[in-house]
Amino acid sequence: MQNPKPSSKMFLDIVGELKNIIKVEGIKTGGKLPSERELAERLQAGRSTVREALRSLELLGLIETRRGEGTFLADLKKHQLVEVLAAFIMQQPESYLDVQETRRIHEKAAISTVCYDSALRDLPVWTSLLAKIETDGGIIREDLIREMIVATGNRLSLKIWFLLKQYSRVPYQEMTTAAENDVVKCLLEHLLKGDEKETMAAYSKWIGLVEGERRERSV
């Protein structure tokens, strides 16, 4: 009988136990980690959950998978920002919600910056995204937020956002749905006017739809 799909808390527990295995067994940079199957047995968890944990660690740059060879501990000195974020994620059971909220903080800050700067509002990318919704029936979700942060010129915020986005597992790589398009159009139209209040309201409604989709997939 297979284990039921684990909760986010169980997922984070597994990430924490992986950290303990690395520490207790003295696995150094470049060292090989136990196989997915062995980890599932040792941690008494479903292989799909272990796979998800390993995937998140790989996205964070903490481990690397080599086809036909296995999974190895990466060189954290090359990823100082990743190391700080990963240490927090791996030590705090409630970190998933904090990651979600921190991601939203970066997104809202970018939107606010664009709303207040007429030069940024005049960038052609916003009207281009509006036109794309009309012609293609939607846009890649990630494109909207990424362009907001890129417009601010804050490269550190962009890098942090990419890491937070990957860990929070929000389906940003997919196209906006028909239900989202009107909300996104409203967001962009208010952004062009510099109306921060209405832009933020549209953003909150849109993110609610996107995050709701992720929760439905987790059930």
Side-chain angles (χ1 to χ4, degrees):
M1 180 177 178
Q2 291 184 333
N3 294 331
K5 189 159 187 178
S7 65
S8 296
K9 185 176 186 300
M10 185 174 181
F11 164 79
L12 292 172
D13 287 343
I14 289 174
V15 173
E17 292 210 37
L18 284 170
K19 178 192 173 189
N20 289 333
I21 288 174
I22 292 170
K23 181 178 180 181
V24 171
E25 298 189 2
I27 301 175
K28 305 298 183 182
T29 298
K32 189 174 182 179
L33 274 64
S35 69
E36 180 184 297
R37 178 188 231 172
E38 183 181 345
L39 287 171
E41 292 175 353
R42 290 172 62 174
L43 302 178
Q44 297 185 333
R47 288 187 65 173
S48 61
T49 313
V50 172
R51 190 177 303 119
E52 183 182 6
L54 290 173
R55 174 60 177 157
S56 291
L57 293 176
E58 187 173 19
L59 287 170
L60 288 167
L62 295 171
I63 62 175
E64 55 183 354
T65 301
R66 302 172 194 166
R67 186 178 295 276
E69 297 182 44
T71 303
F72 301 82
L73 188 63
D75 185 357
L76 299 185
K77 292 180 180 178
K78 297 179 181 178
H79 305 279
Q80 293 182 1
L81 176 61
V82 171
E83 183 179 8
V84 172
L85 176 60
F88 171 76
I89 289 171
M90 294 168 73
Q91 292 172 12
Q92 305 293 328
E94 71 281 6
S95 65
Y96 178 75
L97 295 177
D98 289 338
V99 168
Q100 288 277 57
E101 181 57 31
T102 305
R103 193 204 79 242
R104 294 190 206 104
I105 288 172
H106 281 268
E107 294 171 355
K108 291 177 181 178
I111 291 172
S112 180
T113 299
V114 175
C115 281
Y116 275 100
D117 191 320
S118 59
L120 298 183
R121 295 199 308 272
D122 289 340
L123 292 172
V125 63
W126 318 126
T127 52
S128 176
L129 289 171
L130 276 170
K132 197 171 181 63
I133 292 175
E134 295 293 343
T135 59
D136 297 349
I139 58 174
I140 301 297
R141 292 164 174 163
E142 180 178 318
D143 289 351
L144 175 57
I145 299 298
R146 187 190 64 248
E147 292 299 336
M148 291 282 187
I149 302 177
V150 168
T152 68
N154 191 327
R155 290 179 293 175
L156 177 57
S157 181
L158 181 63
K159 183 170 184 179
I160 292 172
W161 176 78
F162 267 121
L163 294 172
L164 296 169
K165 171 184 69 72
Q166 289 167 341
Y167 183 78
S168 61
R169 306 188 301 283
V170 176
Y172 270 154
Q173 291 78 23
E174 299 176 17
M175 292 278 289
T176 54
T177 64
E180 294 171 56
N181 285 336
D182 285 342
V183 181
V184 174
K185 285 168 63 178
C186 182
L187 186 159
L188 287 166
E189 289 166 355
H190 286 300
L191 178 82
L192 288 167
K193 298 175 184 177
D195 189 333
E196 182 188 20
K197 181 179 179 181
E198 292 301 325
T199 304
M200 287 295 186
Y203 161 81
S204 296
K205 184 175 181 179
W206 175 54
I207 288 300
L209 291 172
V210 176
E211 292 181 349
E213 179 181 310
R214 187 202 64 77
R215 285 192 294 271
E216 288 177 5
R217 293 180 180 182
S218 300
V219 174

